[in-house]
Amino acid sequence: MYFANSSYEDSRYVIFGAPFDSTCTFRKGTRYGPSGIREASHNFESFMLEYELDLLDIDICDYGDLDVTHLSPSEMVERINGFSKRLVADGKFPLLLGGEHSVSPGCAVAFDDVTVLGIDAHADFYDDFDDDRNNHACAMRRIADKFGKDRVMWIGIRQMGRAEYEAAPKVINSFKIFENGIDWTISEIEKMVGNGRLYISLDIDGIDPAYAPGTGTPVPFGLRPIDVKRIIDHFASRLVGFDIVEVSPPLDNGVTAVLAANILMEVIAAVHLRASEEKKG
Ligand code: MN
Ligand code: MN
C-alpha cells in the first residue's frame, strides 16, 4: 500500500494480505483481492480531508501477503492465526485483506476477548459446507465458536439458509436497517459492544452490488458505503482489528477495489484520530 512505508517495529497498523479463494462456492477471484486493493489505493490522496491528517505521517506497515494461496483451508487458517497472534502480542492493529471470508477467523480469534461485528450479505453460519468447516460459508460460525454467540453480531444480511437462521439469533438484516435507519442500527450494535473492544469483519458483499459489483456472490438490497463508514467512525475508539474480504478484481469494473481501498484508509484515519484524541484526554 503506497502510504504504508514504515517498518513492522515502528508501526501500530499492520496491513497484510491473504490471497486465498479455494473454498469459494460460486465465482473465484478473491486471491487477487490484496493486490487489487493495493493498486486501487493509488487513486486516493494520502491526506484524509475529513480527519485533516495525512496517512504518510502515521507509521503504517504493509507486510505484504502471507503465502496461503495453495494451502488447504485448515492450514491457511492456522497460518493466518499464527501471524495474527504475533500482531496481537506485539500490540499491533491488524488490517487483513482477503481473500475469501474464510481468512477472517484466523485473525479474529487471535484476540482473547473481543466482540465481532460482521457486515455481510450472508450469515456465513453453516457449521460445515461442502464437508469443510473452514469454507467461507462457515466463517462467522468459527468466530462464534471462540467468543460465543452473544459476542458476535451480523448486520446487512439478506441471504440465510433456514438452518443458519435458526442457529444465529443476532442478525440485523438489511431490510431492517433501511426501515429503521443507521442511527438505530448503531444503537443496536452499541448494546452489544458496550465499552468492550470491537473487531469488524467487512465482507464487501454486505455493501450493495451497485457500489461493489466485484465480488463472488453479490446480493441485491445491500448497505450503502456511507452507512458502513458511519459505523466505523462511531466505533473507531473501540476498534482493535479489521478485515475486508471477498473483493474479486477479475469480476470488478474497478469500483469495488477502489471502495475497499478507501474504506481501509478511513479505518486507519478514524482509529488513529480517536486514539490520539484519547491521549490528549
Ligand atoms: Mn461472508
Ligand atoms: Mn457475503
Side-chain angles (χ1 to χ4, degrees):
M1 207 69 67
Y2 82 89
F3 53 80
N5 302 314
S6 296
S7 69
Y8 178 88
E9 288 70 26
D10 288 344
S11 302
R12 172 163 183 243
Y13 306 94
V14 179
I15 298 163
F16 66 108
F20 181 86
D21 63 4
S22 63
T23 83
C24 274
T25 38
F26 188 44
R27 308 187 293 183
K28 294 190 197 296
T30 62
R31 73 178 62 184
Y32 305 106
S35 53
I37 295 169
R38 283 192 183 92
E39 199 179 301
S41 71
H42 290 276
N43 185 52
F44 300 105
E45 299 279 355
S46 61
F47 179 69
M48 303 299 287
L49 177 63
E50 185 188 4
Y51 308 93
E52 294 175 321
L53 59 84
D54 196 323
L55 294 178
L56 290 171
D57 293 336
I58 303 173
D59 285 321
I60 308 166
C61 168
D62 185 349
Y63 198 86
D65 293 343
L66 301 185
D67 186 13
V68 293
T69 307
H70 302 291
L71 297 182
S72 73
S74 59
E75 289 168 336
M76 172 277 293
V77 171
E78 218 168 285
R79 175 79 55 90
I80 293 171
N81 187 242
F83 183 70
S84 303
K85 278 183 171 160
R86 178 182 155 202
L87 296 182
V88 172
D90 291 344
K92 310 296 186 188
F93 187 108
L95 294 144
L96 165 60
L97 309 176
E100 52 169 67
H101 214 159
S102 54
V103 306
S104 303
C107 189
V109 309
F111 290 92
D112 288 332
D113 183 26
V114 289
T115 297
V116 178
L117 177 69
I119 303 173
D120 203 325
H122 313 88
D124 296 343
F125 209 67
Y126 283 98
D127 197 31
D128 65 85
F129 200 92
D130 287 345
D131 287 328
D132 187 356
R133 286 167 57 83
N134 294 306
N135 186 284
H136 67 157
C138 311
M140 288 300 271
R141 185 71 171 251
R142 296 291 80 81
I143 293 172
D145 285 348
K146 162 135 186 180
F147 299 112
K149 274 190 209 172
D150 55 342
R151 306 304 300 165
V152 176
M153 187 174 192
W154 298 255
I155 66 163
I157 310 296
R158 50 224 189 257
Q159 279 280 298
M160 239 178 154
R162 190 171 182 150
E164 289 180 291
Y165 182 72
E166 284 161 1
K170 270 221 179 94
V171 166
I172 304 178
N173 69 49
S174 192
F175 309 103
K176 263 195 190 144
I177 295 173
F178 281 110
E179 199 179 305
N180 297 304
I182 199 67
D183 290 326
W184 171 85
T185 307
I186 287 171
S187 70
E188 288 297 303
I189 302 167
E190 190 73 63
K191 283 180 198 162
M192 193 183 61
V193 178
N195 290 322
R197 305 190 306 158
L198 180 68
Y199 181 100
I200 295 181
S201 181
L202 172 61
D203 181 329
I204 201 73
D205 70 28
I207 295 171
D208 194 83
Y211 304 101
T215 192
T217 43
V219 185
F221 309 115
L223 303 183
R224 301 171 306 172
I226 194 73
D227 297 325
V228 172
K229 181 173 151 46
R230 293 265 326 268
I231 291 167
I232 291 167
D233 284 346
H234 182 89
F235 290 100
S237 64
R238 284 162 280 179
L239 201 58
V240 292
F242 184 83
D243 68 60
I244 185 159
V245 297
E246 301 285 351
V247 173
S248 183
L251 302 169
D252 197 9
N253 59 7
V255 303
T256 313
V258 155
L259 175 62
N262 206 0
I263 289 174
L264 179 79
M265 297 167 82
E266 295 279 341
V267 168
I268 299 170
V271 170
H272 190 76
L273 187 70
R274 298 295 167 256
S276 47
E277 279 174 355
E278 276 179 10
K279 256 183 218 159
K280 278 181 214 150

